[in-house]
Amino acid sequence: QVQLVESGGGLVQAGGSLRLSCVASGTIFSISAMAWYRQAPGKQRELVADIAKSGSTNYADSVKGRFTISGDNAKQLVYLHMNGLNPEDTGVYYCNARRVWTSTGWIPDTWGQGTQVTVSS
């Protein structure tokens, strides 16, 4: 079984910064990619950024140049550094792990419980 635990959310003023962290636990041999998604009130969950095991990254257009995703494969950690936050960034941020190879086989998708980010104007 794989668990993802996020931390680092909170309340910040517009223009401020936050760093989100996510750690994966369990008997994990490999994680193909990790990602951050967010869900604003009344909206669908959307991809914010992802990072493959190779280190290649992908960002939503709305966060390019402001957010940076990074990871530590050895520690099974992923971070989301968020700068220049604005109220449109408010939402619950979820960590996601894709294609996790565990002692009991492949798990296609695992989600964390989410962490709230609120940006005040």
Side-chain angles (χ1 to χ4, degrees):
Q1 188 173 358
V2 176
Q3 288 188 327
L4 301 178
V5 178
E6 303 105 331
S7 60
L11 173 64
V12 64
Q13 288 187 333
S17 300
L18 283 174
R19 188 186 78 163
L20 305 183
S21 302
C22 172
V23 60
S25 63
T27 308
I28 299 170
F29 300 139
S30 175
I31 302 175
S32 296
M34 297 188 77
W36 288 96
Y37 287 74
R38 67 185 179 190
Q39 188 165 18
K43 294 188 177 181
Q44 288 189 331
R45 191 174 298 188
E46 63 175 357
L47 175 68
V48 176
D50 59 26
I51 181 167
K53 186 178 179 181
S54 63
S56 64
T57 58
N58 177 52
Y59 294 92
D61 287 342
S62 60
V63 306
K64 282 180 182 176
R66 300 187 298 122
F67 291 11
T68 302
I69 189 170
S70 62
D72 184 330
N73 288 336
K75 296 182 179 179
Q76 296 163 351
L77 280 165
V78 66
Y79 302 101
L80 185 67
H81 304 260
M82 304 184 293
N83 298 317
L85 285 160
N86 59 62
E88 290 70 38
D89 296 314
T90 294
V92 179
Y93 283 68
Y94 296 91
C95 180
N96 167 255
R98 302 170 186 161
R99 286 185 55 79
V100 182
W101 183 25
T102 73
S103 58
T104 57
W106 286 99
I107 300 176
D109 251 334
T110 300
W111 294 89
Q113 81 287 353
T115 184
Q116 177 70 43
V117 172
T118 303
V119 184
S120 63
S121 58

